[in-house]
Every structure is written in structure tokens, then in C-alpha cells.
Amino acid sequence: MKILNFGAGGFIGSHLTQRLLKEGHQVTAVDLHADKIDGILQHPSLIFIQQDIRDAGWHLDRLVKDADLVIDLVAHANPGLYVRIPLEVFRLNFTENLKIAEACVQHNRRLIQFSTCEVYGRTAATLKQAKVIDPDDPIHATFIEDESELILGPISKHRWIYSCAKQLLERVLHAYGLEKGFDYTIIRPFNFIGPKIDFLASEQKGIPRVFSFFMDALLKGMPIKLVDGGAQRRCYTYIDDAVDCIYRIVVNPNGVCQRQIFNIGSPRNEVSIRQLAEIMKEIYAVQFRAPDVPLPEIVDVSAVEFYGEGYEDSDRRIPDITKAQTLLQWQPKWGMREMLETTMSYFVKEYRSRRRYTPMTAED
Ligand code: NAD
Ligand code: UGA
């Protein structure tokens, strides 16, 4: 297939592009950056177009018309940005993505649209009026694609603009499906982790996701910061498991993915953010610790201190993956500890090779 992949230079996009090429597809990759795919830029089946999709008058239409399938991963996807640049989050994640979707509608091309598990918002158990007997029962935090309520906080908590922009895009795609027979599939990822996720927090401008803050703190011996105590819970999914599911959606056996929404996540890999910090610290101490860098302490910070005004967290989210299991026969395989070990090993090697650091041996 000729696949047009927007956001192919990002974390998920780089792994997916590699897989698409391995499966023999021709890929046109569009992104602002290519550093995460620089190892495959010379591949004969890859065309990389460095392009800001917000530019006026670029050849979006021609590219869409020329493709058999369009995948859209472009977004501002890090919570720090939702608080700092909410208008830009809305503009990119809704307005600009809508242009891609509408080009697909116009040229009758299938679209795989990346949305987010953040559309589910908070759990019903956190609502003031909630009368649940056991608020800790996972049933209150298990989200089902076509059934769960989507519960967002007040407008003043503008973190939710990301969730809201993605949700609105989902609703518009659904409406195009109803009115024009548009062929789309929506993916809601649940906290993927793996090599190439974001960047070490202190090394670039911007605000990465939690793994990259913790990894940075471990490598540099700086405090690991837990926002509001770290009781929030997430289910982490290894990128190889995720790409395996995404690829099944690309293949779309017998059209089963048409106009479907899929959660992609690993319900068994649930941890609190405090546990995430503790496991990463323990793995680092045993496997990667540099003798000249102290092991960091884990400290508490408030959300306002860390992100600024307007932040509100998702308390807990567990994916129901029955749909992907039954329609796509997909099953995530990676456990929490092994995905952290593999991802941390990648970042440690990458960091130390940049610094020409000599790693410790087992005898050290
Ligand atoms: P990412 O930030 O690594 O990738 C996004 C890519 O989009 C980047 O390479 C970036 O350069 C590109 N991009 C941004 N603005 C652009 C522009 N104006 N023009 C062209 N390219 C531009 O994020 P990711 O983790 O790979 O996420 C990919 C998608 O999946 C996003 O839509 C995100 O919202 C969604 N998602 C990801 C996760 C996750 O666990 N990683 C979870 C939920 C949702
Ligand atoms: C993220 C982003 O919204 C999206 O990329 C995506 O939609 C979704 O998750 C996903 O990956 O599925 P979130 O999980 O809140 O949302 O993002 P992180 O930045 O990874 O934060 C996770 C938790 O760690 C939050 O509770 C945050 O407050 C906390 N945190 C973050 C810390 O305690 N310390 C830090 O240094 C950074």
C-alpha cells in the first residue's frame, strides 16, 4: 500500500514507519523533524517531507489523493503544553487535523486518526455526587470505547482543551461517517512507553511526559518530582505491543476496523506514578547506576508548581481492550518491569554514548 503518515517523525510515528517499511509498504512521511527516523531516511520505499502542516497552501490535497491510506499522528501530545499553549493545542489538534480528515473525505481515502485515552477524562468515582461503594474497584476506571461517559473538568482547568479538541475531532469523523459514508478508524492510546519517547527533560526546551522526567532525574542525580503526591494511576503499554495492534488496524481484515474506535493499552500494567518512580529508581540502582552520580530522592511538588495554573489530572484510566482482542486477535505481551528495563537501557546507552561515558561493568 501507499501510506501517507503524518507525524511519522514522532515517538509512535517513528516505530510505526519502521514497521510499515518492514511489511513492504511505501511510506510518505510528513513531519517537522526527522531525527527519530534518521536511520531509515535512505530506505528506498520511504519519502520524507519536512513540512509544517499549518502552512497555508501546501500540497496536502495532492498527497492525500495519491495515497491508499492516511495515518494522522500529528498533535501537541504533552500535558505541559495543554497548560502553556492551550490555543495552539486546539489549533493543531483540531483545526489542522480536521483539514487532513476533510481531504480524506473529499478524495475518499481511508483515515486512521490518533486520538487519546484522555477523551475519557476523570473517573465517575471522583465526582462530588458519586455514591460508589468501593471507589477503588477497577470497574469505575475501566473505559469502554462505545459505552463510557466522557467526564471533563471545568473550563478554568484548561488542561482539558487537549481532550476536548481530540473528542470534537472524533465526533466530526463520526458525523462524516454517518452523512458521507467516510471510512475512518480512531485509535485511543493508553500511555505508550518505549525507546525514542520524547527527550530528556533538562536537555531540550519543552515539557516531556513523565518517563522522560524520571529518566532525566536518574541520569543526572536530580530529584524525582511527584506531582500532587503521585497517587494518580496509569496503565503503561510497550511500544512494540502498541505497533502490533496499530498494524492490525492498518491491515483491517475484512474491513472490521471501519468506523470503529479502538482502545490500545495494557490493562494489567497499572501503576501509580509513585510506584512508577520507585520501580524506575530500583531498576536504575541495580542495572545502570553511575558511580559518580548520586541516586536521586523522590520528592513531592504541587501541580501548580510543576505545570502552572490550569492543570488538573486524570486520576485513573484502565483500557477495556475487548474490541481489539475480538476483532483483531490482539493481546499485549509486555509487562511493566521488562518494558521499563528495555526503555531505560535505550536511554542510558544513548545518553552515555553522547557523553562518551564508560558504563559500569558487573565487577564495578
Ligand atoms: P510525538 O509528539 O512524539 O509525535 C507527534 C509528531 O507530530 C512529532 O514528530 C511532531 O514533530 C509532529 N508535529 C507536531 N506539529 C507538527 C506540525 N505543525 N507539522 C508537522 N508535524 C508536526 O507524540 P506521540 O507520542 O508519537 O503521539 C502521536 C499521536 O498519538 C498524537 O496524536 C497523540 O496525541 C496520540 N497519543 C499518544 C499517546 C502516547 O502514549 N504516546 C497517548 C495518547 C495519544
Ligand atoms: C499523557 C498525555 O496527555 C498524552 O500524551 C496522552 O494522551 C496520554 O498521556 C497517554 O500517553 O496516554 P499523562 O499520562 O497525564 O497524559 O502524561 P504524563 O506527562 O506522562 O504524566 C503522567 C502522570 O505523571 C501525571 O499524573 C503527572 O502529573 C505526573 N508527573 C509528570 C509527575 O508526577 N512527575 C513528573 O515529573 C511528570
Side-chain angles (χ1 to χ4, degrees):
M1 264 194 292
K2 277 165 105 176
I3 300 177
L4 177 57
N5 192 1
F6 293 98
F11 164 48
I12 302 174
S14 59
H15 288 271
L16 180 60
T17 301
Q18 194 142 15
R19 175 70 187 270
L20 295 174
L21 292 172
K22 203 172 144 210
E23 299 288 347
H25 300 285
Q26 279 179 272
V27 180
T28 301
V30 179
D31 205 298
L32 289 170
H33 310 289
D35 41 307
K36 292 187 184 182
I37 50 170
D38 59 1
I40 50 173
L41 283 179
Q42 304 308 322
H43 194 289
S45 300
L46 178 71
I47 297 170
F48 176 69
I49 300 175
Q50 186 164 26
Q51 175 66 48
D52 186 332
I53 65 159
R54 295 167 300 183
D55 288 349
W58 76 287
H59 49 282
L60 167 68
D61 240 42
R62 183 163 60 72
L63 286 179
V64 169
K65 201 172 164 193
D66 196 41
D68 301 313
L69 168 69
V70 178
I71 302 175
D72 182 12
L73 292 133
V74 168
H76 290 305
N78 296 2
L81 299 175
Y82 320 158
V83 176
R84 288 206 188 161
I85 49 164
L87 277 179
E88 190 47 40
V89 167
F90 174 73
R91 180 182 170 202
L92 185 67
N93 297 6
F94 180 73
T95 314
E96 300 300 333
N97 277 319
L98 182 61
K99 291 178 189 164
I100 293 174
E102 290 188 329
C104 292
V105 174
Q106 193 192 338
H107 297 292
N108 201 17
R109 294 293 181 266
R110 178 175 177 233
L111 171 67
I112 298 177
Q113 178 65 54
F114 276 74
S115 183
T116 175
C117 59
E118 295 245 341
V119 296
Y120 294 111
R122 301 192 317 218
T123 61
T126 63
L127 296 177
K128 284 195 190 86
Q129 67 275 27
K131 290 193 182 85
V132 291
I133 296 162
D134 176 10
D136 212 42
D137 186 333
I139 200 158
H140 303 305
T142 301
F143 295 123
I144 306 175
E145 294 94 334
D146 306 309
E147 290 176 28
S148 295
E149 310 292 341
L150 312 179
I151 305 172
L152 307 188
I155 301 298
S156 56
K157 301 294 179 192
H158 52 265
R159 175 198 210 267
W160 298 111
I161 199 164
Y162 169 77
S163 165
C164 208
K166 292 264 189 184
Q167 187 195 134
L168 186 56
L169 189 63
E170 287 196 19
R171 291 189 186 279
V172 174
L173 296 186
H174 177 77
Y176 271 121
L178 287 177
E179 293 194 19
K180 311 251 184 215
F182 181 43
D183 182 1
Y184 66 88
T185 306
I186 289 167
I187 293 178
R188 294 180 182 159
F190 282 67
N191 290 80
F192 300 170
I193 281 192
K196 301 188 184 181
I197 185 169
D198 295 335
F199 50 86
L200 293 176
S202 65
E203 296 193 358
Q204 268 186 46
K205 268 217 245 152
I207 309 157
R209 282 161 281 197
V210 67
F211 173 88
S212 310
F213 272 107
F214 290 178
M215 189 74 248
D216 191 48
L218 288 164
L219 288 166
K220 318 272 171 69
M222 299 180 309
I224 293 177
K225 295 180 181 169
L226 291 182
V227 174
D228 287 345
Q232 318 84 299
R233 283 175 272 189
R234 298 288 187 270
C235 290
Y236 285 97
T237 312
Y238 191 58
I239 188 70
D240 287 6
D241 274 339
V243 168
D244 181 31
C245 188
I246 297 166
Y247 191 68
R248 287 164 197 252
I249 291 170
V250 167
V251 173
N252 190 19
N254 304 315
V256 291
C257 303
Q258 193 176 48
R259 287 176 222 126
Q260 291 288 352
I261 303 173
F262 286 94
N263 287 339
I264 301 183
S266 300
R268 279 183 295 177
N269 289 334
E270 191 184 34
V271 287
S272 71
I273 300 303
R274 180 175 290 280
Q275 285 169 322
L276 177 72
E278 284 164 353
I279 302 170
M280 285 182 68
K281 186 173 167 180
E282 185 200 316
I283 293 173
Y284 191 79
V286 174
Q287 299 192 24
F288 306 116
R289 187 177 176 193
D292 55 334
V293 182
L295 263 188
E297 51 176 344
I298 297 175
V299 301
D300 285 347
V301 292
S302 72
V304 174
E305 230 179 295
F306 193 82
Y307 289 109
E309 292 292 343
Y311 182 80
E312 188 172 64
D313 219 323
S314 306
D315 53 316
R316 191 180 185 192
R317 50 195 191 212
I318 304 170
D320 178 292
I321 53 169
T322 312
K323 205 197 267 192
Q325 285 169 322
T326 51
L327 293 185
L328 301 168
Q329 286 74 52
W330 175 72
Q331 188 61 40
K333 299 186 182 75
W334 284 70
M336 197 63 214
R337 188 166 280 271
E338 53 176 343
M339 85 170 79
L340 285 176
E341 285 172 354
T342 309
T343 309
M344 289 172 73
S345 168
Y346 168 87
F347 275 93
V348 171
K349 279 194 195 128
E350 205 259 344
Y351 175 69
R352 288 182 181 161
S353 69
R354 273 193 285 122
R355 298 192 60 208
R356 296 175 201 281
Y357 184 90
T358 315
M360 281 169 69
T361 64
E363 287 74 48
D364 283 332

